[in-house]
Structure formats: structure tokens, C-alpha cells
Amino acid sequence: MSGTKIAPFFQADDIWESKLVCPACGYDYNHVLPHPFNAPGHDQGAAGWGGRGDLYTLPVWGECGHVWGVQFGFHKGQTFLMAGLLTAKELEYDEALAFVKAQGKK
């Protein structure tokens, strides 16, 4: 995953508790894409995020044009919450890429 540990990806909201915002630019119009995906870490750091365990990603498309993910990283019994920008290669797993292309963004 590219860009883990970047800017905060949620913001306090007057109506609800908090809302997702783009971690790259702070824009608050975002859409959760279908089909979360997992990068296996095999307890050896193979998921590419810094921890030894898996990295589970819920992909998000921002109307700002950024594609990013809410990510859960697992390391020795602890779970870390972060966000990371996603590459086109990471999105080529299913219809999430088709959704982004249909919006005219990538």
C-alpha cells in the first residue's frame, strides 16, 4: 500500500459523530467502494505496511479524484487503523476499478 500514516482521514461532524475525509487533501465527499481486500503478511511483514501481519483495506473513491483506503493492519495481536492512497495496480482486483473509471477519475 502506498502512503500509510498520512493525514487524518476523519473529521468531527455536527450531525453525526465523524465523517471520512480524503487523507491526501481533506475533501469530505467520499464513496466506499465494493469489495474490501487483504494483503497477507504471513507474520513476516509481506503485506508492505510495516507490521508483520495482514493489511485489510476498505477502498474509498473521493470526488476530489483520490482513491484511498481505510486500512487495518495486524501486528502481534494488535490492530492499527490508518489510511493510505491506493495505486491502480492495487485496484485491479475487481469492479472497484470499473467504478472509479465510470466516475471519470483515476
Side-chain angles (χ1 to χ4, degrees):
M1 301 294 138
S2 59
T4 56
K5 296 185 181 178
I6 54 182
F9 57 97
F10 57 91
Q11 181 179 80
D13 186 78
D14 292 338
I15 299 171
W16 295 289
E17 293 296 316
S18 60
K19 61 184 169 185
L20 292 178
V21 297
C22 176
C25 68
Y27 198 66
D28 64 350
Y29 284 81
N30 298 282
H31 306 269
V32 175
L33 297 174
H35 305 290
F37 59 95
N38 183 51
H42 303 293
D43 201 28
Q44 299 174 359
W49 73 276
R52 291 176 57 180
D54 293 2
L55 182 66
Y56 182 84
T57 300
L58 179 63
V60 178
W61 169 72
E63 291 185 15
C64 56
H66 294 112
V67 181
W68 54 284
V70 174
Q71 300 170 316
F72 297 88
F74 302 98
H75 180 77
K76 293 187 167 194
Q78 294 180 316
T79 302
F80 298 86
L81 177 62
M82 61 202 120
L85 296 176
L86 301 178
T87 65
K89 181 180 177 185
E90 291 164 332
L91 287 173
E92 289 175 1
Y93 64 95
D94 61 25
E95 62 265 15
L97 182 61
F99 179 88
V100 172
K101 286 181 178 178
Q103 306 304 312
K105 311 271 185 189
K106 187 168 180 184

